[in-house]
Amino acid sequence: MASPKLVAFVAAVGLMLAGASHAQLSPFFYTFTCPQLPFIVLNEVSTAVETDDRAAAKLIRLHFHDCFANGCDGSVLLEDVPGVIDSELNAGANNGIQGREIVDKIKAAVESSCPGVVSCADILALASQVSVVLSGGPAWVVLLGRRDSRVANRAAAEDLPSPFETLDILKSKFKAFGLDSRDLVTLSGAHTFGRSRCFFFSGRFDNFNNTGLPDPTLDAAYREQLRQACTTPTTRVNFDPVTPDIFDKNYYTNLQSLKGLLQSDQELFSTPGADTTAIVNEFAASQLRFFIQFGKSMIKLGNLMPPPGTPSEVRSQCRLLNPSSPAHDVM
């Protein structure tokens, strides 16, 4: 069997050699200006994954949170600049988000090889795909050509999907971006790896929704296991108690067993009459179907663009705007 690193290498190279373009995005975008890009991203993400079990989940979360606030424009990486940037990192939904140091290393390596060419937004998209493949998940063609926004949208970041929301609210937020129930269930499957801090789900233990009772959709034995694990509100617990660092279909079998960690996870299976239940069952029964759909939904996510007229550039550092110049491109 081929190693995950070899599979990731083939997938990363293949994304520049195959596939069709979508609008201004194309898998061929850096073929001549930075042909070594997939090698660089693979090398840096591989190093990160080898030294940090959570690195892959950190990178894909950054990409999700970037795309769901103002489109896939690298704005989630921007730090505060008084009077200029009100960072999306200040939004409650981005509280504790990690992985920017990994992006910094990727960007530094890319700049050393292809200065001023590759956007931070594209690095997030590529790093997400490589992270999933290195963790045992599927590859997909990553369309490229995004630019980095010179603005942030903290208000949009405040409205990111929340761990405490009902299915109706989650579906409404995804629908606003042209993502349907199938995309919601599929992209939520990224919680098959990674960790969550206890304060995001400990409200399910006792007085759930002010009922005075535990969440009835949380398995009682698993609830007590989680309670013992949560020694502090900020303790991190595996999303998947079985294969916590492997990208597989266990997220969906966990939902069937009432072992979804977050309320927003379990809502997909346990909401009466929901169309998402059948999708959970489909993916629980077939990892191949989940993997195929995950690639499709990731491409849809990656196609979310900033509003027309958004000032843009290719940042030399992902956390900071380039020094001002007389004119900048617009998206």
Side-chain angles (χ1 to χ4, degrees):
M1 176 180 286
S3 70
K5 187 167 183 177
L6 177 60
V7 173
F9 171 77
V10 173
V13 173
L15 66 86
M16 289 191 173
L17 301 177
S21 65
H22 182 281
Q24 72 271 34
L25 301 182
S26 167
F28 308 106
F29 194 81
Y30 298 111
T31 300
F32 300 107
T33 57
C34 194
Q36 58 272 55
L37 177 61
F39 305 89
I40 297 171
V41 175
L42 173 62
N43 183 63
E44 294 298 328
V45 176
S46 296
T47 299
V49 169
E50 288 170 2
T51 56
D52 179 1
D53 290 340
R54 296 175 49 231
K58 290 176 182 179
L59 289 169
I60 199 167
R61 185 185 181 204
L62 279 170
H63 184 46
F64 284 169
H65 283 221
D66 184 36
C67 294
F68 267 94
N70 224 48
C72 307
D73 63 350
S75 58
V76 71
L77 302 169
L78 285 172
E79 296 180 339
D80 273 321
V81 178
V84 180
I85 297 293
D86 184 9
S87 177
E88 293 171 17
L89 298 169
N90 296 327
N94 286 326
N95 179 21
I97 197 166
Q98 296 179 331
R100 290 187 300 144
E101 74 285 349
I102 305 172
V103 178
D104 290 342
K105 290 179 180 178
I106 300 171
K107 179 63 172 174
V110 171
E111 285 296 301
S112 178
S113 183
C114 314
V117 173
V118 181
S119 69
C120 300
D122 277 345
I123 286 174
L124 288 179
L126 281 166
S128 295
Q129 188 243 35
V130 172
S131 294
V132 168
V133 175
L134 288 175
S135 302
W140 60 92
V141 174
V142 181
L143 304 179
L144 302 167
R146 300 168 189 82
R147 293 182 62 81
D148 298 320
S149 176
R150 286 185 58 82
V151 297
N153 191 334
R154 180 177 174 180
E158 295 284 6
D159 199 38
L160 283 160
S162 161
F164 312 107
E165 290 174 338
T166 64
L167 181 58
D168 284 344
I169 295 175
L170 292 170
K171 289 172 72 171
S172 175
K173 288 187 175 182
F174 272 66
K175 184 178 180 180
F177 292 104
L179 302 171
D180 59 21
S181 293
R182 194 168 184 82
D183 297 312
L184 167 59
V185 176
T186 302
L187 294 174
S188 297
H191 283 173
T192 190
F193 63 2
R195 318 283 190 271
S196 175
R197 284 170 294 171
C198 288
F199 65 78
F200 283 125
F201 56 84
S202 56
R204 304 177 70 196
F205 294 170
D206 297 301
N207 188 27
F208 181 64
N209 287 346
N210 296 316
T211 61
L213 299 170
D215 183 348
T217 68
L218 180 61
D219 176 78
Y222 184 49
R223 181 182 71 235
E224 294 311 309
Q225 178 184 335
L226 293 173
R227 192 196 303 273
Q228 292 179 25
C230 289
T231 54
T232 73
T234 56
T235 299
R236 294 184 186 272
V237 174
N238 296 328
F239 274 111
D240 179 0
V242 182
T243 54
D245 302 316
I246 298 175
F247 197 96
D248 56 24
K249 70 180 180 69
N250 281 2
Y251 171 80
Y252 301 104
T253 57
N254 290 337
L255 297 185
Q256 291 176 322
S257 302
L258 303 186
K259 293 181 180 179
L261 188 62
L262 305 179
Q263 175 188 345
S264 56
D265 292 323
Q266 197 60 51
E267 290 271 341
L268 302 178
F269 181 76
S270 297
T271 301
D275 61 345
T276 53
T277 302
I279 305 170
V280 170
N281 290 334
E282 176 189 348
F283 293 159
S286 174
Q287 183 159 284
L288 178 60
R289 289 192 177 188
F290 166 46
F291 279 10
I292 291 172
Q293 184 59 49
F294 191 81
K296 293 178 180 178
S297 293
M298 284 297 294
I299 291 171
K300 288 178 69 175
L301 175 76
N303 285 336
L304 299 179
M305 293 289 106
T310 301
S312 67
E313 62 187 8
V314 173
R315 286 184 222 134
S316 58
Q317 298 182 62
C318 291
R319 301 183 187 219
L320 303 170
L321 299 178
N322 293 340
S324 297
S325 60
H328 291 278
D329 292 340
V330 295
M331 296 179 180

